[in-house]
Amino acid sequence: MEQDPVSAPEAASGARGVAQPVAAPLTRAANFLVATLNPGLENRAAVRSFCGDLAALLRAVEFRDLEGGLSCVVGFGAAAWDRLFGPPRPAELHPFREIRAGARHAVSTPGDLLFHIRAKRMDLCFEVATQIMGRIGDAVTPVDEVQGFRYFDERDLLGFVDGTENPRGEAAVEAVLIGEEDAAFDRGSYVIVQKYLHDLNGWNALPTEAQERIIGRTKLSDIELDDSVKPTSAHNALTTIVKDGKEIKILRDNMPFGRPGYGEFGTYFIGYSRSPRTIEQMLENMFVGQPPGNYDRILDFSRAVTGSLFFVPSATFLDSVTEDEPADEALSAAPAAAQPAPSGRSQHDGSLGIGSLKGDTSHE
């Protein structure tokens, strides 16, 4: 019998869910599509119905190129979760909170659904995005779409290799998938996205040695600078999170994007983690500084223009969703409001009081 995702999550039976492909191998192309859910029962029903059909849609497109490395991850924002599924909500799912620190600003922008589509070829990503919008286009409103590409030897547009310190294999699974800490959402994950625009003229005017001190790595060989010469404000120093003597990893799959004719050059940050607190701490270190004022100098040349937090439920959860509305209609229809918090302070509930999640322009 098909389980109801609200009243009987797969974890309740003791069975382990099957994760969405959050730890899929890096690819040459990606499409990042963020949308908001339109009001109305019929729109919620359309999106709920689509949840169970996504796997079949992917199989249909994937079969046209079995070696294309196609995958798609779908995540839901806090307000959308309440409207679509009702209680319970994943334990650490909350609206993306902004960070303000001097001239640095990690903005919080609307986002109810995220589709992270990856493949070796952009046409596969394009086809999946087209099919998705063909199914739910009337139920949602797109608010951002970015087509990303791999740039030479895994570099971003700042010229540095991006993603060197990503965990691999079982370490990646451990870093991104929820376990017993929130058993009702076992095999789920949190994902934070931010779109950064770069001042390449200003950045390229810097000597290579100055760029390397900002990043914390050599530009040509991608070797980490020795601590004796690396500033404490270096990007890779501020985004290294250590708890109880152990480094806490996240999984980045950042992509360059741009429109040279418009002078637009950027990095789309996307970070998966089993707890959003890890990335939130990275963002606090970057925007506010560790200690305050010792901020990430990348932000003198890069600015965040979007920011959203989503929960990625297991594939098992998605397969069990039906078109029927969740039981608690009153709660599911009420959008979650962002909770204001003082900039630069941490809240007692374990989430940052300063808001958003800043994806490092992932040079780690």
Side-chain angles (χ1 to χ4, degrees):
M1 177 186 296
E2 190 175 42
Q3 288 183 323
D4 177 78
V6 174
S7 60
E10 63 269 11
S13 65
R16 301 220 58 185
V18 176
Q20 292 193 62
V22 296
L26 302 183
T27 57
R28 302 297 302 178
N31 188 298
F32 307 93
L33 176 60
V34 177
T36 54
L37 177 61
N38 294 335
L41 293 173
E42 70 282 3
N43 295 322
R44 295 205 294 275
V47 173
R48 284 178 59 88
S49 176
F50 177 74
C51 288
D53 295 341
L54 177 60
L57 182 153
L58 284 173
R59 287 194 297 270
V61 178
E62 177 188 39
F63 195 73
R64 296 159 69 178
D65 182 357
L66 293 175
E67 297 181 352
L70 178 65
S71 68
C72 177
V73 171
V74 58
F76 302 90
W81 186 277
D82 291 344
R83 294 175 61 195
L84 289 168
F85 310 120
R89 186 199 287 186
E92 295 189 82
L93 178 58
H94 55 260
F96 186 87
R97 309 183 188 102
E98 68 175 355
I99 301 173
R100 288 184 180 271
R104 301 173 299 282
H105 186 197
V107 297
S108 176
T109 52
D112 289 333
L113 292 92
L114 166 71
F115 294 97
H116 179 199
I117 308 166
R118 288 175 279 189
K120 295 179 181 179
R121 296 164 37 186
M122 180 54 74
D123 57 344
L124 290 170
C125 298
F126 182 87
E127 178 67 12
V128 170
T130 300
Q131 294 292 339
I132 288 172
M133 293 307 296
R135 277 290 309 274
I136 64 169
D138 292 337
V140 302
T141 298
V143 293
D144 191 43
E145 183 174 9
V146 171
Q147 294 183 346
F149 55 88
R150 289 289 167 205
Y151 190 58
F152 293 107
D153 49 339
E154 307 298 327
R155 296 180 185 268
D156 59 22
L157 298 185
L158 299 180
F160 285 77
V161 175
D162 196 348
T164 304
E165 294 299 326
N166 264 345
R168 303 176 187 179
E170 287 302 314
V173 172
E174 174 68 18
V176 301
L177 295 186
I178 293 168
E180 295 180 356
E181 69 271 24
D182 193 6
F185 296 102
D186 177 64
R187 314 302 282 177
S189 185
Y190 293 92
V191 60
I192 290 164
V193 298
Q194 285 184 306
K195 179 178 177 180
Y196 284 88
L197 297 180
H198 306 316
D199 172 14
L200 282 192
N201 289 333
W203 176 258
N204 290 331
L206 294 177
T208 297
E209 294 76 9
Q211 294 179 357
E212 291 176 339
R213 288 193 295 272
I214 291 174
I215 301 300
R217 288 184 175 276
T218 57
K219 190 170 187 177
L220 179 62
S221 60
D222 188 39
I223 302 301
E224 184 172 357
L225 297 183
D226 188 87
D227 288 344
S228 62
V229 297
K230 180 169 62 177
T232 56
S233 62
H235 175 75
N236 62 359
L238 292 173
T239 57
T240 298
I241 305 301
V242 178
K243 183 177 180 181
D244 299 327
K246 178 183 177 181
E247 183 178 351
I248 308 300
K249 295 280 191 176
I250 69 169
L251 184 66
R252 302 170 176 88
D253 199 357
N254 299 352
M255 283 281 195
F257 68 91
R259 297 185 298 170
Y262 292 87
E264 179 183 271
F265 304 94
T267 297
Y268 198 94
F269 166 80
I270 180 166
Y272 290 98
S273 178
R274 67 189 297 165
S275 168
R277 287 176 292 174
T278 304
I279 305 176
E280 289 175 325
Q281 185 62 60
M282 292 178 178
L283 299 180
E284 180 177 20
N285 293 350
M286 292 179 65
F287 279 80
V288 178
Q290 181 61 34
N294 190 49
Y295 68 91
D296 191 336
R297 266 55 183 183
I298 285 180
L299 299 178
D300 292 340
F301 305 91
S302 300
R303 61 187 178 92
V305 295
T306 70
S308 301
L309 164 65
F310 303 91
F311 179 73
V312 177
S314 68
T316 307
F317 182 101
L318 291 178
D319 288 343
S320 67
V321 175
T322 66
E323 186 175 331
D324 298 334
E325 287 291 309
D328 193 335
E329 175 64 25
L331 179 57
S332 67
Q339 300 174 4
S343 178
R345 307 275 301 271
S346 293
Q347 294 186 7
H348 297 297
D349 64 359
S351 59
L352 289 184
I354 54 170
S356 128
L357 300 170
K358 148 121 189 126
D360 67 75
T361 312
S362 177
H363 303 283
E364 276 286 315

